Amino acid sequence: YFVPRNSRGSLPVYSDVRNGRSRFLITIRNVEGSIKVLVDDLLRDLSDSTSPIRTVIKARITRSNHLVLSGLSRKQVVLDWLVRRGF
């Protein structure tokens, strides 16, 4: 998988708050390659196997190259993870 930067040089990671601040969505747009491997790596690196965060985060693929994460409230965590991975 690969997450290319947008025309301004930023990573295409966006946050959205819905339902009166009770539902947080993080969107990673324009993912190239296997999104399922990206999800597995993201969950593995952000939590250990006994952490409850693994059961809370849900991933959904939209438009065949966008990844929407629900249950994770901080966009900066995903941005930092992508930068550490070299994107």
Side-chain angles (χ1 to χ4, degrees):
Y1 59 89
F2 180 69
V3 181
R5 291 181 178 258
N6 61 21
S7 61
R8 295 183 179 187
S10 301
L11 287 167
V13 178
Y14 304 93
S15 61
D16 189 16
V17 181
R18 297 188 179 187
N19 296 349
R21 298 195 50 83
S22 65
R23 183 174 174 209
F24 296 92
L25 302 173
I26 308 293
T27 303
I28 304 173
R29 295 184 184 169
N30 304 323
V31 178
E32 298 173 1
S34 178
I35 296 179
K36 292 181 182 189
V37 175
L38 170 65
V39 171
D40 291 342
D41 289 348
L42 185 68
L43 291 177
R44 184 187 65 236
D45 290 347
L46 291 183
S47 65
D48 58 7
S49 61
T50 60
S51 175
I53 195 171
R54 232 182 220 288
T55 59
V56 173
I57 296 177
K58 296 190 180 359
R60 182 172 42 112
I61 299 169
T62 60
R63 296 189 180 183
S64 77
N65 64 347
H66 294 187
L67 173 64
V68 178
L69 301 168
S70 60
L72 187 62
S73 62
R74 297 197 53 223
K75 172 179 126 175
Q76 193 62 41
V77 172
V78 176
L79 281 170
D80 292 342
W81 180 83
L82 286 169
V83 169
R84 279 195 316 268
R85 299 286 294 202
F87 293 108

Coordinates of all heavy atoms in Angstrom, one line a residue:
Y1 N 0.8 -1.2 0.0 CA 0.0 0.0 0.0 C 0.9 1.2 0.0 O 2.0 1.2 0.4 CB -1.0 0.0 1.2 CG -0.3 0.0 2.5 CD1 0.1 1.1 3.2 CD2 0.0 -1.3 3.2 CE1 0.7 1.1 4.4 CE2 0.6 -1.3 4.4 CZ 1.0 -0.1 5.0 OH 1.6 -0.2 6.2
F2 N 0.3 2.3 -0.5 CA 1.0 3.6 -0.5 C -0.1 4.7 -0.3 O -1.2 4.6 -0.9 CB 1.7 3.8 -1.9 CG 2.4 5.1 -2.0 CD1 3.6 5.3 -1.3 CD2 2.0 6.0 -2.9 CE1 4.2 6.5 -1.4 CE2 2.6 7.2 -3.0 CZ 3.8 7.5 -2.3
V3 N 0.3 5.7 0.4 CA -0.6 6.9 0.7 C 0.2 8.1 0.1 O 1.0 8.7 0.8 CB -0.9 7.1 2.2 CG1 -1.8 8.3 2.3 CG2 -1.5 5.8 2.7
P4 N -0.2 8.5 -1.1 CA 0.5 9.7 -1.7 C 0.0 11.0 -1.1 O -1.1 11.1 -0.6 CB 0.1 9.6 -3.2 CG -1.2 8.9 -3.2 CD -1.2 8.0 -2.0
R5 N 1.0 12.0 -1.0 CA 0.6 13.3 -0.5 C -0.2 14.0 -1.5 O -0.1 13.7 -2.7 CB 1.9 14.0 -0.1 CG 2.6 13.4 1.1 CD 3.8 14.2 1.5 NE 4.4 13.6 2.6 CZ 4.3 14.1 3.9 NH1 3.6 15.2 4.1 NH2 4.9 13.5 4.9
N6 N -1.0 15.0 -1.1 CA -1.8 15.8 -2.0 C -1.0 16.9 -2.7 O 0.2 17.0 -2.4 CB -3.0 16.4 -1.3 CG -2.7 17.3 -0.2 OD1 -1.6 17.8 -0.1 ND2 -3.7 17.5 0.7
S7 N -1.6 17.7 -3.5 CA -0.8 18.7 -4.2 C -0.2 19.8 -3.4 O 0.8 20.4 -3.8 CB -1.8 19.4 -5.2 OG -2.8 20.1 -4.6
R8 N -0.6 19.9 -2.1 CA 0.0 20.9 -1.2 C 1.1 20.2 -0.3 O 1.7 20.9 0.5 CB -1.1 21.5 -0.3 CG -2.0 22.3 -1.1 CD -3.0 22.9 -0.1 NE -3.9 23.8 -0.9 CZ -4.8 24.6 -0.4 NH1 -4.9 24.6 0.9 NH2 -5.6 25.3 -1.1
G9 N 1.3 19.0 -0.5 CA 2.4 18.3 0.3 C 1.9 17.7 1.6 O 2.7 17.2 2.4
S10 N 0.6 17.7 1.8 CA 0.1 17.2 3.1 C -0.4 15.7 2.9 O -0.8 15.4 1.8 CB -1.1 18.0 3.6 OG -0.7 19.3 3.8
L11 N -0.5 15.0 3.9 CA -1.0 13.7 3.9 C -2.6 13.8 3.8 O -3.1 14.6 4.5 CB -0.6 12.8 5.1 CG 0.8 12.4 5.1 CD1 1.2 11.8 6.4 CD2 1.0 11.3 4.0
P12 N -3.2 13.0 3.0 CA -4.7 13.1 2.9 C -5.5 12.4 4.0 O -6.2 11.4 3.8 CB -4.9 12.4 1.5 CG -3.9 11.4 1.4 CD -2.7 12.0 2.1
V13 N -5.3 12.9 5.2 CA -6.0 12.4 6.4 C -6.9 13.5 6.9 O -6.5 14.6 7.1 CB -5.0 12.0 7.5 CG1 -5.7 11.5 8.7 CG2 -4.0 10.9 7.0
Y14 N -8.2 13.1 7.0 CA -9.2 14.1 7.4 C -10.0 13.6 8.6 O -10.2 12.4 8.7 CB -10.1 14.4 6.2 CG -9.4 14.9 5.0 CD1 -8.9 14.0 4.0 CD2 -9.0 16.2 4.9 CE1 -8.2 14.4 3.0 CE2 -8.3 16.6 3.8 CZ -7.9 15.7 2.8 OH -7.1 16.1 1.7
S15 N -10.5 14.5 9.4 CA -11.4 14.1 10.5 C -12.8 14.7 10.3 O -13.0 15.7 9.7 CB -10.8 14.6 11.8 OG -10.7 16.0 11.9
D16 N -13.8 14.0 10.9 CA -15.1 14.4 10.8 C -15.8 14.0 12.2 O -15.6 12.9 12.7 CB -15.8 13.7 9.7 CG -17.2 14.2 9.4 OD1 -17.6 15.3 9.9 OD2 -18.0 13.6 8.7
V17 N -16.6 15.0 12.7 CA -17.3 14.7 14.0 C -18.8 14.7 13.7 O -19.3 15.7 13.1 CB -16.9 15.8 15.0 CG1 -17.6 15.5 16.3 CG2 -15.4 15.8 15.2
R18 N -19.5 13.7 14.1 CA -20.9 13.6 13.9 C -21.6 13.2 15.2 O -21.0 12.9 16.2 CB -21.2 12.5 12.8 CG -20.6 12.9 11.5 CD -21.0 12.0 10.4 NE -20.4 12.4 9.2 CZ -20.6 11.9 8.0 NH1 -21.5 10.9 7.9 NH2 -20.1 12.3 6.9
N19 N -22.9 13.3 15.1 CA -23.8 12.9 16.2 C -23.5 13.7 17.5 O -23.4 13.0 18.5 CB -23.8 11.4 16.4 CG -24.3 10.6 15.3 OD1 -24.9 11.2 14.4 ND2 -24.1 9.3 15.3
G20 N -23.4 14.9 17.4 CA -23.2 15.7 18.6 C -21.9 15.4 19.3 O -21.9 15.3 20.6
R21 N -20.8 15.2 18.6 CA -19.5 14.9 19.1 C -19.4 13.6 19.8 O -18.5 13.3 20.6 CB -19.0 16.0 20.1 CG -18.9 17.4 19.4 CD -18.1 18.4 20.2 NE -16.8 17.9 20.7 CZ -15.7 17.9 20.0 NH1 -15.7 18.3 18.8 NH2 -14.6 17.5 20.5
S22 N -20.3 12.7 19.4 CA -20.2 11.3 20.0 C -19.7 10.3 19.0 O -19.4 9.2 19.3 CB -21.6 10.8 20.5 OG -22.5 10.7 19.4
R23 N -19.5 10.7 17.7 CA -19.0 9.8 16.7 C -17.9 10.5 15.9 O -18.1 11.5 15.3 CB -20.1 9.4 15.7 CG -19.7 8.4 14.7 CD -20.9 8.0 13.9 NE -20.5 7.1 12.8 CZ -21.1 7.0 11.7 NH1 -22.2 7.7 11.5 NH2 -20.7 6.3 10.7
F24 N -16.7 10.0 16.0 CA -15.5 10.5 15.3 C -15.1 9.6 14.2 O -15.0 8.4 14.3 CB -14.3 10.7 16.3 CG -14.6 11.6 17.4 CD1 -15.1 11.2 18.6 CD2 -14.3 12.9 17.3 CE1 -15.3 12.0 19.7 CE2 -14.5 13.8 18.3 CZ -15.0 13.4 19.5
L25 N -14.9 10.2 13.0 CA -14.5 9.5 11.8 C -13.1 10.1 11.3 O -13.0 11.3 11.2 CB -15.5 9.6 10.7 CG -16.9 9.1 11.0 CD1 -17.8 9.4 9.9 CD2 -16.9 7.6 11.3
I26 N -12.2 9.2 11.0 CA -10.9 9.6 10.4 C -10.9 9.0 9.0 O -11.1 7.8 8.9 CB -9.7 9.1 11.2 CG1 -9.8 9.5 12.7 CG2 -8.4 9.5 10.6 CD1 -9.7 10.9 13.0
T27 N -10.7 9.8 8.0 CA -10.6 9.3 6.6 C -9.2 9.4 6.0 O -8.6 10.5 6.2 CB -11.6 10.1 5.8 OG1 -12.9 10.0 6.3 CG2 -11.7 9.6 4.3
I28 N -8.7 8.4 5.5 CA -7.5 8.4 4.7 C -7.9 8.2 3.3 O -8.4 7.2 2.9 CB -6.5 7.3 5.2 CG1 -6.2 7.3 6.7 CG2 -5.2 7.3 4.4 CD1 -5.5 6.2 7.2
R29 N -7.6 9.2 2.5 CA -8.0 9.2 1.1 C -6.9 8.7 0.1 O -5.7 8.9 0.5 CB -8.5 10.6 0.6 CG -9.7 11.0 1.4 CD -10.2 12.4 0.8 NE -11.3 12.9 1.6 CZ -11.8 14.1 1.5 NH1 -11.2 14.9 0.7 NH2 -12.8 14.5 2.2
N30 N -7.3 8.2 -1.0 CA -6.4 7.9 -2.1 C -5.4 6.9 -1.8 O -4.2 7.0 -2.2 CB -5.8 9.2 -2.7 CG -6.8 10.2 -3.1 OD1 -7.8 9.9 -3.6 ND2 -6.5 11.5 -2.9
V31 N -5.7 5.9 -1.1 CA -4.8 4.8 -0.7 C -4.6 3.9 -2.0 O -5.6 3.5 -2.6 CB -5.4 3.9 0.4 CG1 -4.4 2.8 0.8 CG2 -5.6 4.8 1.7
E32 N -3.4 3.7 -2.3 CA -3.0 2.8 -3.4 C -2.6 1.5 -2.9 O -1.8 1.4 -1.9 CB -1.9 3.5 -4.3 CG -2.3 4.8 -4.9 CD -1.2 5.5 -5.6 OE1 -0.1 4.9 -5.6 OE2 -1.4 6.6 -6.1
G33 N -3.0 0.4 -3.5 CA -2.6 -0.9 -3.1 C -3.6 -1.6 -2.2 O -4.8 -1.3 -2.2
S34 N -3.1 -2.4 -1.3 CA -4.0 -3.2 -0.4 C -4.4 -2.4 0.8 O -3.5 -2.3 1.7 CB -3.3 -4.5 0.0 OG -4.1 -5.2 0.8
I35 N -5.6 -2.0 0.9 CA -6.1 -1.3 2.0 C -6.2 -2.2 3.3 O -6.0 -1.8 4.4 CB -7.4 -0.6 1.7 CG1 -7.2 0.4 0.6 CG2 -8.0 0.1 2.9 CD1 -8.5 1.1 0.2
K36 N -6.5 -3.5 3.0 CA -6.6 -4.4 4.2 C -5.3 -4.6 4.9 O -5.3 -4.7 6.1 CB -7.1 -5.7 3.7 CG -8.6 -5.6 3.2 CD -9.1 -7.0 2.8 CE -10.5 -6.8 2.3 NZ -11.2 -8.0 2.0
V37 N -4.2 -4.6 4.2 CA -2.9 -4.6 4.8 C -2.6 -3.4 5.6 O -2.0 -3.4 6.7 CB -1.8 -4.9 3.8 CG1 -0.4 -4.9 4.4 CG2 -2.0 -6.2 3.1
L38 N -3.0 -2.2 5.1 CA -2.9 -0.9 5.8 C -3.6 -1.0 7.1 O -3.1 -0.6 8.1 CB -3.3 0.2 4.9 CG -3.5 1.6 5.6 CD1 -2.1 2.1 6.0 CD2 -4.2 2.6 4.6
V39 N -4.9 -1.5 7.1 CA -5.7 -1.6 8.3 C -5.0 -2.5 9.3 O -4.9 -2.1 10.5 CB -7.1 -2.0 8.0 CG1 -7.9 -2.4 9.2 CG2 -7.8 -1.0 7.1
D40 N -4.5 -3.6 8.9 CA -3.9 -4.6 9.8 C -2.6 -4.0 10.4 O -2.4 -4.1 11.6 CB -3.5 -5.9 9.0 CG -4.7 -6.7 8.6 OD1 -5.8 -6.5 9.2 OD2 -4.5 -7.5 7.7
D41 N -1.8 -3.3 9.6 CA -0.6 -2.6 10.1 C -0.9 -1.5 11.1 O -0.3 -1.3 12.1 CB 0.3 -2.1 9.0 CG 1.0 -3.2 8.2 OD1 0.9 -4.3 8.6 OD2 1.5 -2.9 7.1
L42 N -1.9 -0.7 10.8 CA -2.3 0.4 11.6 C -2.8 -0.1 13.0 O -2.4 0.4 14.0 CB -3.4 1.2 10.9 CG -3.9 2.4 11.6 CD1 -2.9 3.5 11.6 CD2 -5.2 3.0 10.9
L43 N -3.7 -1.1 13.0 CA -4.2 -1.7 14.2 C -3.1 -2.3 15.0 O -3.0 -2.2 16.3 CB -5.3 -2.6 14.0 CG -6.6 -2.0 13.5 CD1 -7.6 -3.1 13.2 CD2 -7.2 -1.0 14.4
R44 N -2.2 -3.0 14.4 CA -1.1 -3.7 15.1 C -0.1 -2.7 15.7 O 0.3 -2.9 16.9 CB -0.3 -4.6 14.1 CG 0.8 -5.4 14.8 CD 1.7 -6.1 13.8 NE 2.4 -5.2 13.0 CZ 2.4 -5.1 11.7 NH1 1.7 -5.9 11.0 NH2 3.1 -4.2 11.0
D45 N 0.2 -1.6 15.0 CA 1.1 -0.7 15.6 C 0.5 0.3 16.6 O 1.2 0.7 17.5 CB 1.8 0.2 14.4 CG 2.7 -0.7 13.6 OD1 3.0 -1.8 14.0 OD2 3.0 -0.2 12.5
L46 N -0.8 0.6 16.5 CA -1.4 1.5 17.5 C -1.8 0.8 18.8 O -2.1 1.5 19.7 CB -2.6 2.2 16.8 CG -2.2 3.2 15.7 CD1 -3.5 3.9 15.2 CD2 -1.2 4.2 16.2
S47 N -1.9 -0.5 18.8 CA -2.3 -1.2 20.0 C -1.7 -2.6 20.0 O -1.4 -3.2 19.0 CB -3.9 -1.3 20.0 OG -4.3 -2.1 18.9
D48 N -1.6 -3.1 21.2 CA -1.1 -4.4 21.4 C -2.4 -5.3 21.3 O -3.5 -4.9 21.3 CB -0.4 -4.7 22.7 CG -1.2 -4.3 23.9 OD1 -2.4 -4.0 23.8 OD2 -0.6 -4.3 25.0
S49 N -2.2 -6.6 21.3 CA -3.3 -7.6 21.0 C -4.3 -7.6 22.2 O -5.4 -8.1 22.0 CB -2.7 -9.0 20.8 OG -2.0 -9.4 21.9
T50 N -3.9 -7.2 23.4 CA -4.8 -7.2 24.5 C -5.5 -5.9 24.7 O -6.4 -5.8 25.6 CB -4.1 -7.6 25.8 OG1 -3.1 -6.6 26.0 CG2 -3.4 -9.0 25.7
S51 N -5.2 -4.9 23.9 CA -5.8 -3.6 24.1 C -7.3 -3.6 23.6 O -7.6 -4.2 22.6 CB -5.0 -2.6 23.3 OG -5.6 -1.3 23.4
P52 N -8.1 -2.9 24.4 CA -9.5 -2.8 23.9 C -9.7 -1.9 22.7 O -10.7 -2.0 22.1 CB -10.2 -2.2 25.1 CG -9.2 -1.5 25.9 CD -7.9 -2.3 25.7
I53 N -8.7 -1.1 22.3 CA -8.8 -0.3 21.2 C -9.0 -1.1 19.9 O -9.6 -0.6 18.9 CB -7.6 0.7 21.0 CG1 -7.9 1.8 20.0 CG2 -6.3 -0.1 20.6 CD1 -6.8 2.9 20.0
R54 N -8.5 -2.3 19.9 CA -8.6 -3.1 18.7 C -10.0 -3.5 18.4 O -10.4 -3.6 17.3 CB -7.8 -4.4 18.9 CG -6.8 -4.8 17.8 CD -6.2 -6.1 18.2 NE -4.8 -6.1 17.9 CZ -4.3 -6.1 16.7 NH1 -5.1 -6.1 15.6 NH2 -3.0 -6.1 16.4
T55 N -10.8 -3.6 19.4 CA -12.2 -4.0 19.2 C -13.1 -2.8 19.0 O -14.2 -2.9 18.5 CB -12.8 -4.8 20.4 OG1 -12.6 -3.9 21.6 CG2 -12.0 -6.1 20.6
V56 N -12.6 -1.6 19.4 CA -13.4 -0.4 19.2 C -13.2 0.2 17.8 O -14.2 0.7 17.2 CB -12.9 0.7 20.3 CG1 -13.6 2.0 20.0 CG2 -13.2 0.2 21.7
I57 N -12.1 0.2 17.2 CA -11.8 0.8 15.9 C -12.4 -0.1 14.8 O -12.2 -1.3 14.8 CB -10.3 1.0 15.6 CG1 -9.7 1.9 16.6 CG2 -10.1 1.4 14.2 CD1 -8.2 2.1 16.5
K58 N -13.2 0.5 14.0 CA -13.8 -0.2 12.9 C -13.4 0.5 11.6 O -13.3 1.7 11.5 CB -15.3 -0.2 13.0 CG -15.9 -0.9 14.2 CD -17.3 -1.1 14.1 CE -17.9 -1.8 15.3 NZ -17.2 -2.3 16.3
A59 N -13.0 -0.3 10.6 CA -12.5 0.2 9.3 C -13.5 -0.1 8.2 O -14.1 -1.2 8.2 CB -11.2 -0.4 9.0
R60 N -13.7 0.9 7.3 CA -14.7 0.7 6.2 C -14.0 1.3 5.0 O -13.4 2.4 5.0 CB -15.9 1.4 6.5 CG -17.0 1.3 5.5 CD -18.3 2.0 6.0 NE -18.1 3.2 6.7 CZ -18.5 4.4 6.2 NH1 -19.1 4.5 5.1 NH2 -18.2 5.5 6.9
I61 N -14.1 0.6 3.9 CA -13.5 1.0 2.6 C -14.6 1.7 1.8 O -15.6 1.0 1.5 CB -12.8 -0.1 1.9 CG1 -11.7 -0.7 2.7 CG2 -12.3 0.3 0.5 CD1 -11.2 -2.0 2.2
T62 N -14.4 2.9 1.3 CA -15.3 3.6 0.5 C -14.6 4.0 -0.8 O -13.4 4.3 -0.8 CB -15.9 4.8 1.2 OG1 -14.9 5.7 1.5 CG2 -16.7 4.4 2.4
R63 N -15.4 4.1 -1.9 CA -14.9 4.5 -3.2 C -13.6 3.7 -3.6 O -12.8 4.3 -4.3 CB -14.6 6.0 -3.2 CG -15.8 6.9 -3.0 CD -15.4 8.3 -3.3 NE -16.6 9.1 -3.0 CZ -16.7 10.4 -3.3 NH1 -15.6 11.0 -3.7 NH2 -17.7 11.0 -3.0
S64 N -13.5 2.6 -3.2 CA -12.4 1.6 -3.5 C -11.0 2.1 -3.1 O -10.1 1.3 -3.2 CB -12.5 1.2 -5.0 OG -11.9 2.3 -5.8
N65 N -10.8 3.3 -2.7 CA -9.5 3.8 -2.3 C -9.5 4.7 -1.1 O -8.5 5.3 -0.8 CB -8.7 4.4 -3.5 CG -9.3 5.7 -4.0 OD1 -10.5 6.0 -3.6 ND2 -8.6 6.4 -4.8
H66 N -10.6 4.8 -0.4 CA -10.7 5.6 0.8 C -10.9 4.7 2.0 O -11.7 3.8 1.9 CB -11.8 6.6 0.7 CG -11.6 7.7 -0.4 ND1 -12.4 8.8 -0.5 CD2 -10.6 7.8 -1.3 CE1 -12.0 9.5 -1.5 NE2 -10.9 9.0 -2.0
L67 N -10.2 5.0 3.1 CA -10.4 4.2 4.3 C -11.0 5.1 5.4 O -10.5 6.2 5.6 CB -9.0 3.7 4.8 CG -9.0 3.0 6.1 CD1 -9.8 1.7 6.1 CD2 -7.5 2.7 6.5
V68 N -12.1 4.7 6.0 CA -12.8 5.4 7.0 C -12.7 4.6 8.3 O -13.1 3.5 8.4 CB -14.3 5.7 6.7 CG1 -14.9 6.4 7.8 CG2 -14.4 6.4 5.4
L69 N -12.0 5.3 9.3 CA -11.9 4.6 10.6 C -12.8 5.3 11.6 O -12.9 6.5 11.7 CB -10.4 4.8 11.1 CG -9.3 4.3 10.3 CD1 -8.0 4.8 10.7 CD2 -9.3 2.8 10.3
S70 N -13.6 4.5 12.3 CA -14.5 5.0 13.3 C -14.0 4.4 14.7 O -13.5 3.3 14.7 CB -15.9 4.6 13.1 OG -16.1 3.3 13.0
G71 N -14.2 5.2 15.7 CA -13.8 4.7 17.0 C -12.4 5.3 17.5 O -12.0 5.1 18.6
L72 N -11.8 6.0 16.6 CA -10.5 6.6 16.9 C -10.7 8.1 16.8 O -11.1 8.6 15.8 CB -9.4 6.2 15.9 CG -8.0 6.6 16.2 CD1 -7.5 6.0 17.5 CD2 -7.1 6.1 15.0
S73 N -10.5 8.9 17.9 CA -10.9 10.3 18.0 C -9.8 11.2 17.6 O -10.0 12.4 17.5 CB -11.4 10.6 19.3 OG -10.5 10.4 20.3
R74 N -8.5 10.8 17.4 CA -7.4 11.7 17.2 C -6.8 11.5 15.8 O -6.1 10.5 15.6 CB -6.4 11.6 18.3 CG -7.0 11.9 19.6 CD -6.1 12.2 20.7 NE -5.1 13.2 20.4 CZ -3.8 13.1 20.7 NH1 -3.4 12.1 21.3 NH2 -3.0 14.1 20.3
K75 N -6.9 12.5 15.0 CA -6.4 12.4 13.6 C -4.8 12.4 13.7 O -4.2 11.8 12.9 CB -6.9 13.6 12.8 CG -6.2 13.8 11.5 CD -6.8 15.0 10.8 CE -5.8 16.0 10.4 NZ -6.3 17.1 9.7
Q76 N -4.3 13.2 14.7 CA -2.8 13.3 14.8 C -2.1 12.0 15.0 O -1.0 11.8 14.6 CB -2.5 14.3 15.9 CG -1.1 14.8 15.9 CD -0.7 15.5 14.6 OE1 -1.5 16.3 14.1 NE2 0.5 15.2 14.0
V77 N -2.8 11.0 15.7 CA -2.2 9.7 15.9 C -2.0 9.0 14.6 O -0.9 8.4 14.3 CB -3.2 8.9 16.8 CG1 -2.7 7.4 16.9 CG2 -3.3 9.5 18.2
V78 N -3.0 9.1 13.7 CA -2.8 8.5 12.3 C -1.8 9.2 11.5 O -1.0 8.5 10.8 CB -4.2 8.5 11.6 CG1 -4.1 7.9 10.2 CG2 -5.2 7.7 12.4
L79 N -1.8 10.5 11.6 CA -0.8 11.3 10.8 C 0.6 10.9 11.3 O 1.5 10.7 10.5 CB -1.0 12.8 11.0 CG -2.1 13.4 10.1 CD1 -2.4 14.8 10.6 CD2 -1.7 13.4 8.7
D80 N 0.9 10.9 12.6 CA 2.2 10.5 13.1 C 2.6 9.1 12.7 O 3.7 8.9 12.4 CB 2.2 10.7 14.6 CG 2.1 12.1 15.1 OD1 2.3 13.0 14.3 OD2 1.7 12.3 16.3
W81 N 1.6 8.2 12.7 CA 1.9 6.8 12.3 C 2.4 6.8 10.9 O 3.3 6.1 10.5 CB 0.7 5.9 12.6 CG 0.9 4.5 12.2 CD1 1.5 3.6 13.0 CD2 0.6 3.9 11.0 NE1 1.6 2.4 12.3 CE2 1.0 2.5 11.1 CE3 -0.1 4.3 9.8 CZ2 0.8 1.6 10.0 CZ3 -0.2 3.4 8.8 CH2 0.2 2.1 8.9
L82 N 1.7 7.5 10.0 CA 2.0 7.5 8.6 C 3.4 8.1 8.3 O 4.2 7.6 7.5 CB 0.9 8.2 7.8 CG -0.4 7.5 7.5 CD1 -1.4 8.5 7.0 CD2 -0.2 6.3 6.6
V83 N 3.7 9.2 9.1 CA 5.0 9.8 8.9 C 6.1 8.9 9.4 O 7.2 8.7 8.7 CB 5.1 11.1 9.7 CG1 6.5 11.7 9.8 CG2 4.1 12.2 9.0
R84 N 5.9 8.2 10.5 CA 6.9 7.2 11.0 C 7.1 6.1 10.0 O 8.2 5.5 9.9 CB 6.4 6.6 12.3 CG 6.7 7.4 13.5 CD 6.6 6.6 14.8 NE 5.4 5.8 14.9 CZ 4.2 6.1 15.4 NH1 4.1 7.3 15.9 NH2 3.3 5.2 15.4
R85 N 6.1 5.7 9.2 CA 6.2 4.7 8.2 C 6.8 5.2 6.9 O 7.0 4.4 6.0 CB 4.8 4.1 7.9 CG 4.1 3.5 9.0 CD 4.6 2.2 9.4 NE 4.4 1.2 8.3 CZ 4.4 -0.1 8.4 NH1 4.6 -0.6 9.6 NH2 4.2 -0.9 7.4
G86 N 7.1 6.5 6.8 CA 7.8 7.0 5.7 C 7.0 7.6 4.6 O 7.4 7.8 3.4
F87 N 5.7 7.9 4.9 CA 4.9 8.5 3.8 C 4.9 10.0 3.8 O 5.1 10.7 4.5 CB 3.4 8.0 4.0 CG 3.2 6.6 3.8 CD1 3.0 5.7 4.9 CD2 3.3 6.0 2.6 CE1 2.8 4.4 4.7 CE2 3.1 4.7 2.3 CZ 2.9 3.8 3.4

